[in-house]
Each structure stands twice: as structure tokens, then as C-alpha cells.
Amino acid sequence: MVPSARSRSVLTLYTTADDVQCHRARLVLAAKGVSYERVLVDPARPPEDLVDLNPYASTPTLVDRDLTLFDTSVVCEYLDERYPHPPLMPIDPQSRARLRVAAVRIEKDWLTEVDIIRAGGRPADAARKRLRGHLLASVPLFKAAKFFLNPEMSLADCLVAPVIWRLPWLGVELGREGKPVVDYGERLFHSQGFARSMTDQERAMRQIHEQE
């Protein structure tokens, strides 16, 4: 019998197995080295305890004892403040604001195209071209620092890296122009934190591509 969400005494994350936003929250948890209970959710049939906790039954949903949070940005910023080491946001307000704006742009521009590609059909090919264009236009940002817009890993990387990981699975090839983006991804993919953040379905995204 699954315990009621409201009775859980450990940090709990409700997450789907292959969604970018859920991967983003899991990567924050992995970067912090936080132990938590992972509850995999079928979006078509969300569990009753999730419906009870979150009126939208959306993922990721984070439960920390009597606190329930949803909306990925809210979840990630809470985790960064709740577990301050290592910090995943810069100290100064301008840099923090710059990273927040970048995350909004990525959600509106990149993730919109990811959703269209995943839906399949004729619109997917045009979405692949647009996503490739967004990424190539961002090459100077990937060149500017070791991490995305920052000398240290930040919450922005926790959003960017899951997108880069999915590119072969989505059928998006960046070519020679996109080498800085690919190199950036490889630096993060070989970290222990990134490996801990993934589900079996996400690991298979690259394995399947490499076998083809």
C-alpha cells in the first residue's frame, strides 16, 4: 500500500519519466546531493495522492513534509534555498535576474519546440529546424563561460542540459556550428550528478540513438 502523500516524512518528488521540466528538478536535487523519494507518474493517470496535493496534478511536484510545491521554477528555487550548498544561483541581483530571464526564454522558445517535436506529425520537422536555430543562435552564450552564462553551475544549467541530452532522440543535429553546445553538454553529462538525475527512459534516449 502506497503511503498517503500527506503522511510522508521524507522529501518526495512526483515526476514523469522523460519530461524536460521533471529532469530539471531531478538535476537540481542531484547537484545538491539530496536524498529523496522519487515517485514516477503516468501523466494520463496521475495518482490520487498527487491530485489531492496539487490541483493541477502536474509534475514536477515537490513535497517537503507539510509543504507542497509545483511549477518547476518554484520547486528549483526552493531547493536551492532549502539546501544552500553548493549554491546554484549567483550572489548579485543582476546575474540572478539574467539567469531567470534566460530560463524564461528557454521555456518559451526551446521547450515549446520540444513539445511539438514529441507530438509528432508534420509540424515536428519545422519545430526541429526552429529548435536548431535557437540553439545555434545561442552558441556565443555557450562560449562565454564554462557553464551557461555563469562560471559555475547554476539553475540555468539544470534546464539547459536536459534539452541538450535529448537532441539526438528528438532528431536535432547541430553540425559543426553547434560544437560549443555539444562540448558543453558532454562536460555536464559525465558528472555523477547528471547520471543520478536520470530515469531509465532518459538513459535509453542516448543508448537507442547510438545503436541505430
Side-chain angles (χ1 to χ4, degrees):
M1 181 177 179
V2 177
S4 166
R6 296 193 184 278
S7 69
R8 293 180 185 274
S9 59
V10 297
L11 191 70
T12 303
L13 184 74
Y14 290 82
T15 173
T16 55
D18 60 0
D19 175 71
V20 170
Q21 294 282 35
C22 289
H23 194 174
R24 176 185 178 186
R26 286 186 263 110
L27 188 50
V28 173
L29 285 159
K32 297 286 184 178
V34 177
S35 298
Y36 68 101
E37 182 173 353
R38 182 185 295 184
V39 179
L40 288 177
V41 173
D42 178 353
R45 287 184 281 185
E48 290 183 10
D49 53 348
L50 176 58
V51 175
D52 180 50
L53 287 162
N54 176 348
Y56 309 103
S58 60
T59 53
T61 291
L62 182 75
V63 181
D64 190 0
R65 297 183 182 273
D66 59 348
L67 177 67
T68 300
L69 299 174
F70 41 89
D71 182 274
T72 317
S73 294
V74 172
V75 168
C76 292
E77 292 210 15
Y78 171 76
L79 289 170
D80 192 41
E81 294 174 358
R82 174 76 170 80
Y83 304 97
H85 301 290
L88 293 179
M89 284 292 274
I91 296 173
D92 66 288
Q94 286 191 347
S95 296
R96 293 168 74 91
R98 189 177 296 115
L99 289 179
R100 288 188 177 107
V101 169
V104 171
R105 291 285 308 269
I106 291 166
E107 288 182 306
K108 290 183 179 295
D109 295 343
W110 302 9
L111 297 196
T112 297
E113 307 303 350
V114 169
D115 289 341
I116 295 171
I117 295 168
R118 293 195 60 174
R122 294 181 64 183
D125 286 338
R128 288 186 183 94
K129 292 178 182 178
R130 290 192 298 268
L131 179 56
R132 182 177 188 273
H134 289 314
L135 289 162
L136 292 181
S138 301
V139 163
L141 302 181
F142 287 95
K143 285 180 166 182
K146 181 178 180 181
F147 295 96
F148 193 75
L149 289 174
N150 204 49
E152 305 293 337
M153 184 174 176
S154 75
L155 292 182
D157 297 289
C158 295
L159 173 57
V160 172
V163 176
I164 306 305
W165 175 261
R166 285 162 170 73
L167 292 181
W169 182 66
L170 295 168
V172 176
E173 298 288 342
L174 297 182
R176 185 178 299 176
E177 297 172 82
K179 189 175 186 300
V181 181
V182 174
D183 290 346
Y184 159 90
E186 290 302 318
R187 287 198 299 273
L188 270 72
F189 301 158
H190 287 92
S191 69
Q192 291 183 350
F194 194 88
R196 288 196 303 270
S197 75
M198 287 191 291
T199 62
D200 290 342
Q201 290 88 336
E202 287 162 343
R203 291 188 185 91
M205 289 174 180
R206 289 271 173 152
Q207 293 169 1
I208 290 170
H209 178 77
E210 290 167 0
Q211 290 168 4
E212 291 176 346

